[in-house]
Amino acid sequence: MALASRNITSAKRKFKSRPRRSEPDIIIPAAGMGYRMKSYGAKALINIYDDTCIIERQIELLWSVYPKSEIFITIGFEAEKIKKRLENYPIRFIHNPIHETTNVLCSLGLAAEATLSQEIIIVYGDLIFNENTIKNLKGSSKIVVDKGSSFLRKSEVGVIVGENGVTNFSFGLDDKWAQIACLTGKELDIFKQISTKEQTRQWFGYEALNYIIENGGKIDYVTPKSMKIFEIDTPKDLEKIPKNKLTFG
């Protein structure tokens, strides 16, 4: 079982401690280095506006939509810097001690083991999005889809969708998975079972989602109206960063 350390202090952002109810737990994987962005440090700590970094914006938006949820952040690369930057937030940190030799599924699995809710929301730690993108995720297993690649790169993982939901995750498809997902019920059970196995340590998140579908799980999808989202993956992506809240509201 992964150990979670809680940081709760009173400082610049006055968040109250979150009571545990039947709300989903939220997982943000931020343990990886991101080789194309190595010189910039942890991608989650890149400032976007008003001295607010990517992961701070994520936390604040997620709590604006899911105010009673517990947030778990997996850390590895520059872990102490991330913990220091977020020391004033009532969140839980999950350390991935093998982040240099594993892929994102390992980090997700470590955090999923530490959660207590029967529902989790996953939001990758290098995403910038608006509030509409993360609404209406609760209640069933589903992912956020960027229809026709309006925002995400053509090279990102795509999805095939049908009347009964998502049927496959793969590359070379027009509709893109926005790297945001909600899992509950059978789908969450399968995810927890597969994500911490030694043989899946090199898996990406979408590979686990394919496994869920192949083993009888059902994953629906949403294409939020007025969504805005993009991923920081290369130095060129920094040019897209909004200069203030209004330009990406």
Side-chain angles (χ1 to χ4, degrees), residues 103-118:
N103 219 317
V104 66
L105 183 60
C106 180
S107 290
L108 292 173
L110 290 172
E113 276 194 326
T115 61
L116 297 177
S117 177
Q118 297 301 306

Side-chain angles (χ1 to χ4, degrees), residues 26 35 82 98 111 125 177 208 225 241 249:
I26 297 171
Y35 289 98
I82 294 176
I98 52 176
W177 174 39
K225 292 183 178 179
I241 289 179

